[in-house]
Amino acid sequence: MKKFRKVLDGLTTSSPGGTIGSPSCGSAAGTPTAAPTPKEIDVQETLVSENFQLCKTVRHGFPYQPTALAFDPVQKILAIGSRSGGVRILGRPGVDCYCQHESGAAVLQLQFLINEGALVTACADDTLHLWNLRQRRPAVLHSLKFNRERITFCHLPFQSKWLYVGTERGNTHIVNIESFILSGYVIMWNKAIELSTKTHPGPVVHLSDSPKDEGKLLIGFESGTIVQWDLRAKKADFRIYYDEAIHSVSWHHEGKQFMCSHSDGSLTLWNLRNTTRPFQVTFPHGKIQKDGRKESCKPILKVEYKTSRSSEPFVIFSGGLSYDKAGRRPTLTIMHGKAITVLEMDYPIVEFMVLCETPYNNEVQEPYAVVVLLEKDLIVVDLTQSNFPVFENPYPMDIHESPVTCTAYFADCPPDIIPILYSIGAKHKKTGYSQKEWPISGGTWTLGSHTYPEIIITGHADGSIKFWDASAITLQMLYKLKTSKVFEKPKPGEGRAAELVEEDPFAVQMVSWCPQSRIFCVVGISAHIILYRFSKYDANTQIVSLEVRLQCESEDVISPSENENNPCFSEQGSHSPQPHHQHPASPGNRTPEGIKDSIPCLKVKDRVVRVPPGYQSELVIQLLWVDGEPPQQITSLDINSAYGLLAFGNCNGVAVVDYLQKTILLCMSTLDLYGAADPYQRLTRSPRRNRQSTSGLTELTDNQQSIDMERSKSPTSVKGPGRKLSLPTDLKTDLESRENSFSRSRSSSVSSIDRDTKEAVTTLQFGESYGRKSDALPTPCLWVGTSLGVVLLIPMSIPTDQEERMEEPVTIGPSGAVLMLKGSVLRFAFLDLVGALIQSPYEVWRDLNAPEDPDRPRRRKLVHFSPSSSQDACGDGHLAVVCSERQAKVFLMPSQSCLFVHNITESSFVLRADVVSVCNSVCLACFCANGHVMTLSLPSLRPLMDVNYLPLTDMRIARTFCFTNGGQALYLSSPTEIQRITYSQEMCDNLQEMLGELFTPIETPEAQNRGFLKGFFGGNAHTFDREELFGEAAAGKASRSLAQHIPGQGGVEGMKVAASGAVGELARARIALDERGQRLGELEERTALMMTSAETFSKHAHELMLKCKDKKWYQF
């Protein structure tokens, strides 16, 4: 524990404030006045670097760009591979694991070792990996890198340790999955086909063992050639040459026939009795045209042929539709007897898999569900009901239903908020789902002891808001809110909204939520703000609209305009848009020159609307067009329920709205806020530039281009026009202009600013503070931070009585203190003089739509946190923490002395900063554009952690990264997935307890029609010893140059885990038996060799004896 003391006795505010171990800075403006200063600040900081460690916790959402699918029918867990090398393993709700291949190569195929707690992945870099799933964080045990051939298909028979690997050259190799070493047994393509064949058969697209005889391997080549290879005799049983390319093959469980899907949209059924031609050819979606020809169809990419005891077989396939119907959605077809059901999908089908009751391929399959992996969704269809309903998906797979444009994360919420949101959201759930339980039910998960209520809020491009329960590292949607319902629908291709933003006029840019008062505020991209209150009752309401003209004229700097330079106050009764502001949404409402003026971007519904329980809109604030210029996007927002005030700013200025009285209190340019305290000397600006572009603003495609962070622009510094939520393309010139203005503005105490620079309001914070140095007691203040590193304090006078508050106006005084930092200001926070965080005051929630109780009238109940609550003496002041893109400072208020300063970064800039509570203390957490996540102690700003975690590759991460209390943070790792991380050592230590178990010991179901001993030892009706054929003794060693074995990092630990427990003991016993059998086999071979050698010696000795029998001694 380190103690910091700062003696301030005798210091004056005009002299620079001293710091501990860092340069000092004084107040940037103001005159020396006597201010209450404590004799001594005594802050005992408890946080040390050992309290911090950065690690990923859990990933939510749909796997981005999925490529492969696998299912373990005994463990009942599902695996999904992705193009970026990720593997998501899903079981029952709560069992959700993410693994990542270090190479980042796309996953081509997944194969579970059924009921063994292991998974084989085949990647696009021609490497096989064996993952151990018997630990909560799966690890790679072995890898095998193919050097000369490309992997195209893998097949692992049930209860076999030999993996068949087909390649692009048409060869089939065999891998021992225990040692991950290639067998010397190879099926070469030229041996598989007839010697008379003149063309190469193409890559291997299918491998499977015959259900009737495991010693027969069916090999499908892309060109249409199919070969059944006798593994014992090392020759082909039969060869089929079909003139259509093959995409997949599926056996009938009896092993007497199989079905193929082809590139012309046909299905062929082959009988092993006669392989000269197909037993049956069908075009399920190909109709006969008038001229008698079949219409051409798209390829059937996959078919599965599954039998059932109680009904006809199921034939399920994807694709095969006719080409003539353009624009048809992707389909999955289920043929059951004579009935054909076509299920249309919202997205292209990547892969599907039929779930069956038995893991044995030679038993009646009894299919009960189909898992369909789409490009952007996961669907499970119930096959046990004739209408084939889908199961309700328990995983949060629809985060990306509309692209995510912003996020907010709240840990340690009031405990009653989650059940209330869930109960209201449950009323709007879809119906028609299957009544059966979700079939992917493997693994175990229990609620950990270190859980507390957590909520994640996501804002989306279509204007929707989703509230998610994120407690105990799970994610479940609670409630959905559609902000677009507040507005009239814009007519397509015309109107103000269409001209301003064609794609997503309602896109959510920012949210502000007070869990205690349940007031919710949304900032939209069309320069609009919507204020919501929460109610458990439905109501009829008319939405109040306020229109704000917040536009800074170019000439204002040197020739102040009479209208623009003064605060624009609205009339007290402005409860609806002024009549002269009302314009229907049509392009005809312009000046004769066609210039728009004083109209908003969207039209608010002006009629009484019925609103359901939940969040109900109370007020809409819209910025107006000015002289043909669309309003600039809103860059900052804060709302305070205790004050009843809402403040917002953009690159033109700041506005304060009284949402209780529905009036505009302040609407002023940033320049006017300074008054006489402007620290800069402004230069003449050139005339206004061209109209800003109206390009799309929610471009969320995952562009993987690398962005040089030295050239990138801070998202909080808004310079000039620009409406995209993502970075502009001209990053270099933009940063250079920022850097030039930055260096000029810091060159002297009175600096000049270049003519193009607009000073945006980048952050706002209401709180009890000291607006001036002479203040003895704290009063309500608004802290304003700008893109030029200036901090302004605006004191306010708010009536305390409830009746007066609703009638008397709130008065805003002239600007108070002016403080300075390097870079754009990002965050404010307030500490008392013992280092504890001072919460913003709030109003306790009350339901305005609840029936009136005459005995208990509804009154506002406010909760205030005084800065001096932890001190004996009143008026001692508080500490203000200010963080910018470049540095953090701690000021003592009201003296405005800078106590501590820390330059966070010189080469990069901070994207996100939050003051958060960790381990019963507080710290400043920062995320930089160069990927560093760091924490600083408060108030001394000592570096506690600095980890180079995540290089910023696109603006999605910058826009969605946020910290919260308890040492947690999140960001959108892809357009469809939320990645949660922790920077708390305590949570890292408890993470194993919170994660689910993927593997649970389950006895493998016994095969039917087998004896007890055969079933116990896994023998088949046709005994087939693969070890005898593929082992080194029989097949020899494979060429070393063909593949390279790479030991996995989780090898030793994984083997220890795998060897524990009852199943592990059985596995060890099996391995020991195998080893003993192998040793006995080797001993037998050596004995046979000795016997052969002895026989040879005896033969030679006999021959020598016969030769020398009649010779005399002297003839030798």
Side-chain angles (χ1 to χ4, degrees):
M1 186 180 294
K2 195 167 183 178
K3 184 180 286 188
F4 290 91
R5 292 179 182 274
K6 177 64 195 157
V7 180
L8 297 169
D9 196 20
L11 286 178
T12 61
T13 53
S14 59
S15 63
T19 63
I20 295 179
S22 55
S24 61
C25 63
S27 170
T31 55
T33 55
T37 56
K39 296 291 180 187
E40 170 178 280
I41 295 177
D42 189 359
V43 178
Q44 293 185 335
E45 295 187 0
T46 58
L47 290 178
V48 291
S49 58
E50 285 73 25
N51 294 124
F52 297 93
Q53 183 187 343
L54 195 71
C55 69
K56 293 179 181 179
T57 53
V58 68
R59 184 173 289 211
H60 303 297
F62 181 77
Y64 184 58
Q65 294 180 326
T67 54
L69 184 69
F71 182 72
D72 186 325
V74 180
Q75 288 289 320
K76 296 197 183 301
I77 55 175
L78 186 82
I80 301 172
S82 72
R83 193 175 297 173
S84 59
V87 179
R88 280 283 287 285
I89 304 168
L90 302 166
R92 68 177 65 248
V95 178
D96 186 341
C97 177
Y98 174 76
C99 316
Q100 175 68 45
H101 291 93
E102 286 185 8
S103 65
V107 178
L108 297 179
Q109 204 176 343
L110 299 164
Q111 286 272 321
F112 275 105
L113 277 65
I114 295 172
N115 206 27
E116 295 282 349
L119 174 73
V120 174
T121 58
C123 294
D125 61 351
D126 305 306
T127 307
L128 298 171
H129 304 274
L130 178 66
W131 292 83
N132 175 27
L133 308 184
R134 297 192 182 212
Q135 54 198 64
R136 295 185 191 229
R137 286 278 173 111
V140 173
L141 291 170
H142 300 284
S143 298
L144 188 67
K145 167 83 172 159
F146 279 74
N147 296 322
R148 296 187 308 205
E149 298 198 51
R150 309 219 65 181
I151 298 170
T152 55
F153 195 87
C154 297
H155 170 62
L156 179 66
F158 179 45
Q159 292 182 324
S160 165
K161 68 174 185 178
W162 297 95
L163 174 75
Y164 301 115
V165 181
T167 68
E168 195 174 45
R169 290 186 182 178
N171 301 326
T172 302
H173 299 276
I174 300 164
V175 178
N176 184 323
I177 56 168
E178 288 179 356
S179 60
F180 240 57
I181 294 172
L182 268 181
S183 165
Y185 194 114
V186 185
I187 306 169
M188 303 298 286
W189 68 271
N190 53 356
K191 297 284 175 60
I193 64 170
E194 286 179 332
L195 293 173
S196 59
T197 309
K198 294 179 181 179
T199 56
H200 190 279
V204 174
V205 295
H206 177 81
L207 292 167
S208 61
D209 50 330
S210 165
K212 199 166 155 185
D213 183 356
E214 290 178 350
K216 305 291 177 72
L217 182 69
L218 196 71
I219 307 170
F221 296 95
E222 189 179 61
S223 63
T225 302
I226 301 169
V227 176
Q228 180 167 291
W229 185 261
D230 188 328
L231 293 164
R232 298 185 194 87
K234 299 184 182 179
K235 65 181 182 67
D237 283 346
F238 63 80
R239 298 179 177 93
I240 295 171
Y241 299 99
Y242 197 65
D243 54 4
E244 286 296 335
I246 290 174
H247 285 280
S248 71
V249 182
S250 183
W251 280 98
H252 186 281
H253 81 274
E254 290 177 352
K256 296 176 182 177
Q257 55 188 21
F258 59 87
M259 186 175 285
C260 302
S261 70
H262 300 279
S263 56
D264 62 345
S266 67
L267 295 173
T268 56
L269 188 63
W270 299 83
N271 198 310
L272 298 194
R273 289 180 182 174
N274 180 13
T275 56
T276 54
R277 58 190 177 87
F279 172 69
Q280 183 182 330
V281 181
T282 55
F283 287 82
H285 295 299
K287 295 175 183 174
I288 298 174
Q289 297 172 325
K290 292 180 180 178
D291 58 2
R293 290 187 303 173
K294 291 266 186 187
E295 58 183 352
S296 58
C297 296
K298 297 174 185 175
I300 295 178
L301 300 176
K302 184 177 180 181
V303 65
E304 292 218 29
Y305 185 22
K306 301 296 179 185
T307 51
S308 173
R309 283 191 182 84
S310 57
S311 66
E312 296 283 323
F314 284 87
V315 176
I316 301 168
F317 62 89
S318 61
L321 292 179
S322 59
Y323 277 106
D324 64 336
K325 293 176 182 174
R328 282 192 68 174
R329 295 198 289 180
T331 60
L332 183 82
T333 306
I334 302 173
M335 297 169 64
H336 188 216
K338 293 181 179 179
I340 299 179
T341 306
V342 180
L343 304 177
E344 288 195 335
M345 303 294 167
D346 293 331
Y347 307 102
I349 296 171
V350 175
E351 171 74 286
F352 75 88
M353 186 163 281
V354 179
L355 309 188
C356 300
E357 296 287 353
T358 176
Y360 297 96
N361 66 348
N362 58 358
E363 295 179 355
V364 179
Q365 298 296 287
E366 295 293 352
Y368 59 89
V370 186
V371 179
V372 189
L373 178 64
L374 308 176
E375 271 189 9
K376 293 184 179 179
D377 203 359
L378 180 73
I379 291 171
V380 183
V381 181
D382 186 354
L383 291 179
T384 61
Q385 298 179 49
S386 58
N387 60 337
F388 304 127
V390 297
F391 289 88
E392 185 176 6
N393 196 327
Y395 316 124
M397 292 287 187
D398 57 348
I399 292 172
H400 61 286
E401 187 177 17
S402 171
V404 178
T405 52
C406 74
T407 58
Y409 192 4
F410 299 87
D412 221 359
C413 300
D416 59 338
I417 192 75
I418 289 177
I420 288 172
L421 285 171
Y422 181 79
S423 63
I424 289 173
K427 295 174 185 174
H428 305 286
K429 282 199 170 181
K430 294 177 183 176
T431 55
Y433 292 112
S434 170
Q435 299 302 308
K436 297 201 168 184
E437 284 189 12
W438 180 251
I440 304 160
S441 56
T444 53
W445 181 77
T446 52
L447 199 65
S449 56
H450 299 80
T451 59
Y452 42 82
E454 298 174 70
I455 285 180
I456 292 171
I457 300 174
T458 54
H460 300 264
D462 63 352
S464 61
I465 305 280
K466 291 181 181 178
F467 289 77
W468 305 85
D469 177 8
S471 311
I473 69 168
T474 60
L475 197 70
Q476 182 182 10
M477 196 168 88
L478 296 171
Y479 174 71
K480 183 177 179 180
L481 174 68
K482 293 181 179 177
T483 63
S484 58
K485 290 188 174 180
V486 170
F487 302 100
E488 301 285 2
K489 287 184 180 177
K491 293 179 181 178
E494 64 174 47
R496 294 162 295 187
E499 289 190 13
L500 177 66
V501 178
E502 293 178 3
E503 294 174 3
D504 301 298
F506 309 114
V508 178
Q509 192 181 345
M510 207 183 301
V511 295
S512 178
W513 186 48
C514 175
Q516 287 79 16
S517 63
R518 300 184 192 171
I519 283 183
F520 186 58
C521 214
V522 178
V523 174
I525 201 69
S526 298
H528 64 272
I529 299 171
I530 311 171
L531 177 73
Y532 290 89
R533 283 186 184 270
F534 187 84
S535 174
K536 292 192 281 186
Y537 304 92
D538 55 2
N540 294 317
T541 182
Q542 177 148 12
I543 303 161
V544 179
S545 176
L546 288 177
E547 294 175 352
V548 180
R549 187 182 175 96
L550 187 61
Q551 196 82 3
C552 178
E553 297 294 335
S554 302
E555 294 78 16
D556 282 353
V557 179
I558 54 166
S559 56
S561 159
E562 196 174 350
N563 296 327
E564 291 289 338
N565 252 10
N566 299 322
C568 55
F569 294 92
S570 68
E571 297 175 13
Q572 283 285 325
S574 60
H575 285 251
S576 62
Q578 299 303 311
H580 63 278
H581 284 163
Q582 290 291 327
H583 295 272
S586 70
N589 294 302
R590 307 180 186 183
T591 58
E593 295 82 11
I595 298 173
K596 294 183 177 184
D597 187 57
S598 299
I599 57 171
C601 301
L602 301 169
K603 189 176 187 307
V604 179
K605 289 179 180 176
D606 54 2
R607 60 186 183 276
V608 176
V609 290
R610 183 100 178 148
V611 286
Y615 273 104
Q616 300 167 351
S617 55
E618 181 175 293
L619 175 66
V620 176
I621 303 163
Q622 288 184 282
L623 297 185
L624 301 174
W625 284 67
V626 177
D627 297 335
E629 284 282 336
Q632 296 296 321
Q633 68 181 47
I634 293 163
T635 55
S636 54
L637 170 80
D638 194 38
I639 186 166
N640 189 283
S641 56
Y643 301 160
L645 300 179
L646 181 152
F648 63 93
N650 65 6
C651 65
N652 292 325
V654 66
V656 180
V657 171
D658 182 340
Y659 69 78
L660 296 177
Q661 296 186 25
K662 311 292 190 295
T663 57
I664 303 167
L665 300 175
L666 177 73
C667 178
M668 191 178 280
S669 71
T670 320
L671 178 63
D672 296 327
L673 287 174
Y674 289 113
D678 189 355
Y680 297 115
Q681 176 186 327
R682 313 272 166 166
L683 297 180
T684 306
R685 290 193 196 178
S686 60
R688 184 193 307 249
R689 291 188 288 179
N690 295 333
R691 286 184 57 178
Q692 77 177 62
S693 78
T694 57
S695 54
L697 33 111
T698 52
E699 189 62 37
L700 286 173
T701 53
D702 195 38
N703 52 341
Q704 292 295 333
Q705 80 261 24
S706 174
I707 295 176
D708 180 1
M709 294 322 301
E710 293 300 314
R711 296 166 52 190
S712 68
K713 169 184 178 295
S714 161
T716 54
S717 296
V718 179
K719 183 186 74 63
R723 303 194 51 85
K724 287 181 83 78
L725 281 181
S726 55
L727 280 177
T729 52
D730 53 342
L731 297 174
K732 184 175 181 180
T733 52
D734 196 72
L735 181 68
E736 283 172 356
S737 64
R738 277 187 60 222
E739 289 298 329
N740 292 339
S741 69
F742 173 78
S743 59
R744 279 197 292 274
S745 66
R746 306 298 164 203
S747 58
S748 63
S749 58
V750 180
S751 312
S752 61
I753 299 186
D754 77 318
R755 60 191 177 185
D756 281 339
T757 305
K758 282 192 176 184
E759 188 170 7
V761 175
T762 53
T763 186
L764 295 162
Q765 177 80 51
F766 286 107
E768 300 284 311
S769 188
Y770 302 85
R772 299 170 189 85
K773 298 177 187 178
S774 56
D775 289 353
L777 292 172
T779 57
C781 287
L782 175 64
W783 287 64
V784 181
T786 76
S787 57
L788 294 180
V790 179
V791 178
L792 297 156
L793 270 76
I794 303 175
M796 299 175 292
S797 175
I798 302 173
T800 52
D801 182 74
Q802 179 171 349
E803 291 177 3
E804 286 182 7
R805 177 66 187 86
M806 299 304 295
E807 295 171 5
E808 296 293 320
V810 174
T811 56
I812 296 179
S815 293
V818 179
L819 310 171
M820 300 286 293
L821 285 89
K822 288 182 186 177
S824 181
V825 181
L826 298 178
R827 185 68 61 208
F828 297 121
F830 310 118
L831 309 178
D832 61 23
L833 296 184
V834 294
L837 188 66
I838 302 170
Q839 301 286 346
S840 294
Y842 64 86
E843 176 191 357
V844 177
W845 175 71
R846 56 200 174 104
D847 198 333
L848 297 179
N849 294 339
E852 286 282 359
D853 187 350
D855 299 330
R856 298 176 63 186
R858 285 201 301 264
R859 295 186 62 83
R860 295 184 75 213
K861 182 182 177 184
L862 308 182
V863 178
H864 284 268
F865 300 91
S866 171
S868 55
S869 59
S870 56
Q871 272 85 44
D872 297 326
C874 190
D876 273 353
H878 70 88
L879 302 174
V881 181
V882 186
C883 184
S884 76
E885 291 177 335
R886 307 275 180 178
Q887 63 179 186
K889 288 186 179 181
V890 176
F891 295 95
L892 175 68
M893 304 301 291
S895 70
Q896 301 172 23
S897 303
C898 177
L899 302 184
F900 303 99
V901 62
H902 177 74
N903 292 317
I904 299 170
T905 177
E906 293 295 339
S907 59
S908 184
F909 54 87
V910 178
L911 288 165
R912 179 77 189 211
D914 288 292
V915 173
V916 291
S917 61
V918 182
C919 302
N920 301 316
S921 187
V922 290
C923 68
L924 175 65
C926 303
F927 172 56
C928 290
N930 59 8
H932 283 250
V933 177
M934 54 187 74
T935 56
L936 304 172
S937 70
L938 290 175
S940 67
L941 300 176
R942 279 182 305 115
L944 295 170
M945 181 188 76
D946 186 352
V947 178
N948 187 2
Y949 169 66
L950 181 79
L952 182 68
T953 51
D954 51 50
M955 268 311 293
R956 183 190 62 249
I957 297 168
R959 190 172 57 249
T960 57
F961 198 104
C962 51
F963 295 98
T964 189
N965 295 328
Q968 294 199 78
L970 66 78
Y971 60 93
L972 239 72
S973 56
S974 74
T976 62
E977 294 167 288
I978 289 174
Q979 178 68 59
R980 287 164 72 178
I981 62 173
T982 181
Y983 47 96
S984 159
Q985 178 68 57
E986 183 185 6
M987 188 165 183
C988 286
D989 294 341
N990 296 320
L991 190 58
Q992 288 292 328
E993 177 195 334
M994 300 165 79
L995 294 171
E997 289 271 9
L998 291 172
F999 180 79
T1000 48
I1002 301 171
E1003 196 172 329
T1004 303
E1006 197 172 317
Q1008 297 171 0
N1009 305 324
R1010 300 189 188 187
F1012 172 78
L1013 288 172
K1014 281 186 179 177
F1016 182 80
F1017 288 106
N1020 279 344
H1022 298 270
T1023 55
F1024 171 60
D1025 189 355
R1026 293 185 178 91
E1027 181 69 39
E1028 188 181 307
L1029 282 175
F1030 306 145
E1032 192 178 316
K1037 290 184 178 179
S1039 169
R1040 288 188 179 180
S1041 60
L1042 187 61
Q1044 176 190 356
H1045 176 258
I1046 306 162
Q1049 293 179 347
V1052 176
E1053 181 190 352
M1055 289 306 289
K1056 285 178 183 173
V1057 175
S1060 63
V1063 178
E1065 292 296 331
L1066 279 172
R1068 281 198 299 186
R1070 273 183 60 184
I1071 291 166
L1073 278 170
D1074 286 344
E1075 288 175 353
R1076 184 166 173 259
Q1078 192 173 340
R1079 285 197 295 270
L1080 282 170
E1082 288 171 1
L1083 181 63
E1084 189 179 341
E1085 284 173 12
R1086 284 199 297 272
T1087 307
L1089 283 169
M1090 285 173 68
M1091 283 178 68
T1092 308
S1093 177
E1095 282 177 11
T1096 307
F1097 179 76
S1098 171
K1099 184 181 176 184
H1100 283 301
H1102 184 66
E1103 286 174 356
L1104 187 64
M1105 184 267 293
L1106 290 173
K1107 188 177 179 181
C1108 303
K1109 183 174 65 171
D1110 298 325
K1111 289 188 178 181
K1112 304 295 182 182
W1113 62 270
Y1114 50 83
Q1115 291 177 322
F1116 285 101

